[in-house]
Amino acid sequence: VIVINNQSGASFAMSGSTGNITIPAVMNSQGNGIGFKNALQSGPVNATLQGHNALFDKDGDFDNGVIAHEYGHGVSTRLTGGPANSDCLYNDEQMGEGWSDWMALMVTMEPGDQGTDARGIGTYVIDEPTTGLGIRPAPYSTDLSVNDYTYGDLNNQNIIYESHDIGFLWATMTWDMTWALVNAHGFSADIYHGNGGNNIAMRLMIDGLKLQPCSPGFVDGRNAILEADTLDFGGADACLIWNAFARRGLGYSADEGSSFSRFDQTEAFDLPPGCDNILSVGEHHDQQADFVSLVPNPAQELVTIGLRLPLKDDLIVYVYSAEGRSVLNGVMRAGSTTLKLDISSLAPGSYQVDLRGPDSAWHRSLIVVR
């Protein structure tokens, strides 16, 4: 039954006893109701209810991701700071919503999924298909053309408003890390007893929660995951993990400042010594360290970026200063193997050159001289 408001104004929640209502009933405004009545003068009318701002709300209990997300809060709250301390995730840079989104993504992974897939959170409850945007600033994806958010976006209040958006950045980074591990170790559909990269990621994340301090920030969370890798696997995937985080601005020199502020962080895309040639996210783990070259290096006016083999996708090229600031960028088109960059505007010093594709990333050091 469509109930029409008999007064002007918006529709409202119907009150009174509902015990006698045994059929679906929705409220609509007087203005829309007049339109219905006029249309009915010409015969039957078909009405479609759609959209999360329409006449009804969908029950989130039917969305596995919503249930996993909420359960994830119990996990992150209990494990951070120890099981007897449930007050550790109230600081401004805490990532509670991020762990929950990540857990929702993890338990709904299926064989055949790809890191470049667009994964929205909460699509069902806002009446979108599973391929929709969802309720976050962007879908989760390793494809930077779908989700290009980095640590530096944390202080951008135009796009990052509150705790769910802050968590979105953390889940974006850890989703990249998960796919780096899956690409390196494979995927297992057995989330309990498997030994795939997704199982490794789950263990690292859960143990990282146990190891991190109370009131953590992003750097604390990253360091706890790296410590878990050392304790659980002897640091076998340390460089792979570093690359995944560095790709999103949480690199070796990144600084969270105070974890009680979301506005004092410094993003960086660099790697610790010894990890410069390890790939972060993608399918090229069998390539040798000389896959990417910079010639000449040191360079003065021009530097040529070379690939040993052409790739099927465009690569976005970023040049970062020693402070982690983007100072130059370009595009290496799919199928090409070289790109000449004019570096004449750069001051002498050390820089990092990043090449990022939908599912791969490389990092090289560059010295500019005059």
Side-chain angles (χ1 to χ4, degrees):
V1 170
I2 298 176
V3 179
I4 304 301
N5 190 355
N6 61 2
Q7 298 181 3
S8 62
S11 57
F12 56 90
M14 292 178 284
S15 60
S17 174
T18 59
N20 295 325
I21 299 178
T22 59
I23 61 176
V26 294
M27 165 68 76
N28 213 322
S29 67
Q30 185 183 50
N32 286 340
I34 291 173
F36 293 159
K37 291 178 180 179
N38 290 340
L40 285 167
Q41 301 302 315
S42 302
V45 173
N46 292 324
T48 301
L49 309 181
Q50 61 183 13
H52 64 289
N53 291 320
L55 302 175
F56 66 99
D57 292 323
K58 285 189 172 182
D59 190 343
D61 288 347
F62 289 104
D63 187 328
N64 286 337
V66 170
I67 299 302
H69 173 102
E70 301 305 338
Y71 183 85
H73 282 301
V75 176
S76 61
T77 299
R78 289 296 180 185
L79 294 184
T80 301
N85 189 352
S86 60
D87 296 321
C88 283
L89 294 179
Y90 291 99
N91 55 302
D92 285 354
E93 200 175 310
Q94 62 88 13
M95 303 88 82
E97 299 294 344
W99 283 298
S100 286
D101 271 9
W102 181 85
M103 290 179 187
L105 294 170
M106 289 296 291
V107 300
T108 54
M109 289 179 79
E110 297 179 339
D113 287 355
Q114 300 294 323
T116 53
D117 294 343
R119 296 287 308 275
I121 293 291
T123 53
Y124 173 79
V125 295
I126 59 172
D127 203 32
E128 287 183 347
T130 55
T131 55
L133 168 64
I135 55 178
R136 300 292 180 254
Y140 291 110
S141 175
T142 62
D143 186 341
L144 293 170
S145 68
V146 175
N147 180 339
D148 63 353
Y149 287 85
T150 66
Y151 189 36
D153 292 316
L154 189 64
N155 62 15
N156 187 342
Q157 290 183 295
N158 292 322
I159 52 177
I160 304 299
Y161 299 98
E162 42 76 54
S163 61
H164 292 85
D165 299 327
I166 294 169
F168 157 77
L169 283 174
W170 177 248
T172 293
M173 296 177 183
T174 51
W175 191 232
D176 274 11
M177 180 196 76
T178 298
W179 276 102
L181 290 165
V182 169
N183 289 330
H185 301 286
F187 172 79
S188 174
D190 185 346
I191 62 175
Y192 296 104
H193 308 294
N195 56 6
N198 53 316
N199 304 101
I200 294 171
M202 181 65 78
R203 181 168 176 180
L204 293 177
M205 288 287 277
I206 295 297
D207 286 350
L209 286 167
K210 302 172 187 177
L211 292 166
Q212 68 188 4
C214 189
S215 302
F218 279 49
V219 171
D220 295 322
R222 179 204 67 192
N223 291 346
I225 289 171
L226 287 162
E227 184 179 356
D229 178 59
T230 298
L231 296 174
D232 293 340
F233 305 107
D237 290 305
C239 286
L240 180 150
I241 295 168
W242 270 114
N243 268 274
F245 281 114
R247 185 175 188 247
R248 297 287 183 172
L250 201 62
Y252 186 60
S253 300
D255 187 348
E256 71 186 32
S258 169
S259 66
F260 290 89
S261 172
R262 50 170 285 198
F263 302 113
D264 62 349
Q265 86 285 1
T266 302
E267 73 174 2
F269 299 85
D270 60 336
L271 297 164
C275 288
D276 288 340
N277 297 320
I278 305 298
L279 308 183
S280 62
V281 180
E283 60 192 18
H284 306 290
H285 293 276
D286 59 337
Q287 302 289 7
Q288 298 176 7
D290 63 351
F291 188 82
V292 178
S293 62
L294 302 180
V295 179
N297 191 10
Q300 290 183 315
E301 305 295 328
L302 289 173
V303 62
T304 298
I305 302 173
L307 303 182
R308 188 157 54 83
L309 294 171
L311 296 182
K312 62 182 179 181
D313 301 299
D314 290 351
L315 290 178
I316 310 300
V317 179
Y318 298 92
V319 180
Y320 294 97
S321 67
E323 295 78 24
R325 182 169 55 89
S326 177
V327 294
L328 196 63
N329 61 72
V331 178
M332 182 178 288
R333 295 300 179 187
S336 63
T337 57
T338 60
L339 174 69
K340 292 184 180 297
L341 278 183
D342 182 351
I343 58 171
S344 59
S345 63
L346 301 183
S350 299
Y351 295 84
Q352 176 169 293
V353 179
D354 284 12
L355 287 79
R356 307 182 197 174
D359 55 5
S360 296
W362 289 268
H363 315 276
R364 291 292 181 270
S365 297
L366 171 67
I367 303 297
V368 176
V369 296
R370 292 287 180 265

